[in-house]
Amino acid sequence: MKKINKRKLSSIIISIIFILIIAIIVLYKKDNLPFLVFLNSEKIKKVEKVDIIYLNRLNLGNITITGISYDEDNESFWLADYDSNINDNVITPRIIETDKEIKKVKNIIEIKGSNYNIQGISYSKNTKTLWIATGRSIINVTKDGKIIKEIEFDQNKCISNGIYYNDINDSISVLCYEKYLLNLDVYGKILNESKMDIKNQDHLTIKNFNTYISAGANYNGKNYIIVFDEENKIKKIYELKESYAIEGIVFKENKLYVANDGLYHSAKIKDNYIVIYDLDEE
């Protein structure tokens, strides 16, 4: 039996490892996956839509939807609209209240003041108010649009996108774009801070102590909801069919409502719409 030259064997092993690394990178780039999703690909579950709601049926003209929340008290949805007319060079943010079927408009409120860049919205059953992420801050407003308070952030630390008011402990979870997940009290004090830098992360919601975070800016490809447990460990990953420009997520009962702004982002589905999913969870 011939002895294998150690130097030659090492060279072969290095070559094999290099080829495997290149193959992994090619597969990763091909689907434009967030790296965290790629590393946990065995946890991915593909889910089909239950229904899809196109927002043109509300007859509101152009909507640049950037958030969605459900109001159990009024049995209504609140939609964040970055600007009703993206072509007039004037930012006129507003929040729109619809019925629970998202068929009729119940109320439209303009958020006046400082050209707020509305990026997410959450209704609080405890305070009967709305909490809105604006990039530079979060604002708390009444249902008639009166600003109660504003909590500003150091922009080097947090550009707020997703927001969720947790009525169980009266705290606010804020997703800072590709940086952190913050948990605040109602006065803005940071109670907890977790590193959260998922590619394309944008919005969040919480259910049964699990945190659902969207990675939804792959406008012509695959987009995901990543589920974290209380210890910030990944439990599940959902690949959402037909959601190409995720701009808000919320549960109504056991259904997940996912807002998409494919019109503004020129996504695969070039429209403003909401997709409903049944994640089949206990």
Side-chain angles (χ1 to χ4, degrees):
M1 179 181 289
K2 292 183 179 180
K3 291 186 177 180
I4 299 175
N5 184 283
K6 288 185 178 179
R7 183 175 295 177
K8 187 175 181 179
L9 179 60
S10 297
S11 178
I12 291 171
I13 292 172
I14 291 170
S15 297
I16 291 171
I17 292 171
F18 179 75
I19 291 168
L20 286 172
I21 290 172
I22 293 297
I24 288 170
I25 291 172
V26 168
L27 289 171
Y28 168 61
K29 291 290 185 182
K30 177 177 176 289
D31 285 334
N32 195 26
L33 296 179
F35 194 62
L36 192 63
V37 172
F38 180 76
L39 291 177
N40 292 271
S41 56
E42 78 283 354
K43 296 179 181 179
I44 295 175
K45 179 181 178 180
K46 298 179 181 180
V47 287
E48 303 285 346
K49 72 176 186 295
V50 173
D51 196 6
I52 187 166
I53 299 167
Y54 289 97
L55 296 181
N56 56 12
R57 75 185 191 180
L58 296 176
N59 296 314
L60 288 170
N62 291 326
I63 298 176
T64 308
I65 190 167
T66 54
I68 184 171
S69 189
Y70 186 67
D71 179 341
E72 293 181 10
D73 295 315
N74 285 10
E75 293 190 324
S76 60
F77 281 95
W78 290 94
L79 309 179
D81 179 12
Y82 170 74
D83 190 346
S84 59
N85 187 349
I86 62 176
N87 297 315
D88 64 1
N89 296 319
V90 178
I91 298 176
T92 311
R94 59 184 181 170
I95 50 178
I96 301 161
E97 184 182 14
T98 76
D99 63 357
K100 62 182 179 181
E101 287 85 24
I102 317 180
K103 289 181 177 179
K104 296 179 180 178
V105 174
K106 297 173 70 173
N107 197 7
I108 299 176
I109 301 166
E110 289 189 359
I111 305 297
K112 299 177 180 179
S114 304
N115 292 333
Y116 288 112
N117 180 2
I118 292 181
Q119 291 295 320
I121 188 168
S122 182
Y123 176 72
S124 165
K125 187 176 177 65
N126 287 356
T127 65
K128 314 296 183 190
T129 61
L130 296 156
W131 295 79
I132 300 172
T134 72
R136 70 170 187 261
S137 66
I138 59 174
I139 56 174
N140 181 211
V141 302
T142 63
K143 290 185 182 183
D144 59 4
K146 180 182 177 182
I147 298 175
I148 301 169
K149 70 174 66 174
E150 180 172 9
I151 300 170
E152 295 185 346
F153 296 112
D154 176 352
Q155 294 295 275
N156 293 319
K157 183 178 183 64
C158 182
I159 298 175
S160 62
N161 283 82
I163 186 167
Y164 180 83
Y165 191 96
N166 194 334
D167 286 307
I168 293 175
N169 57 14
D170 283 309
S171 68
I172 311 157
S173 293
V174 178
L175 192 61
C176 305
Y177 189 70
E178 295 190 355
K179 281 195 174 183
Y180 301 101
L181 175 62
L182 303 180
N183 187 244
L184 315 172
D185 67 14
V186 295
Y187 304 104
K189 180 182 176 181
I190 296 176
L191 304 174
N192 190 38
E193 175 182 313
S194 304
K195 185 174 177 60
M196 192 67 66
D197 57 353
I198 305 166
K199 180 181 179 182
N200 295 332
Q201 75 183 30
D202 209 358
H203 290 275
L204 82 156
T205 191
I206 296 174
K207 182 184 178 188
N208 296 333
F209 303 102
N210 295 320
T211 301
Y212 295 70
I213 292 178
S214 68
N218 188 6
Y219 301 129
N220 290 286
K222 298 176 181 179
N223 290 292
Y224 303 90
I225 298 293
I226 305 167
V227 187
F228 294 87
D229 63 17
E230 291 182 88
E231 297 178 350
N232 277 340
K233 294 179 180 178
I234 294 178
K235 290 182 66 176
K236 297 178 184 177
I237 299 173
Y238 294 102
E239 180 186 323
L240 302 183
K241 297 294 186 178
E242 299 187 59
S243 280
Y244 295 105
I246 298 175
E247 289 287 357
I249 57 176
V250 69
F251 279 98
K252 175 179 174 285
E253 298 170 348
N254 293 318
K255 298 290 191 297
L256 181 68
Y257 286 65
V258 179
N260 286 264
D261 186 2
L263 185 63
Y264 179 83
H265 293 294
S266 297
K268 190 171 182 178
I269 297 179
K270 293 180 175 62
D271 215 327
N272 282 289
Y273 61 99
I274 295 167
V275 189
I276 305 172
Y277 298 95
D278 185 350
L279 300 186
D280 193 27
E281 296 189 321
E282 295 179 359

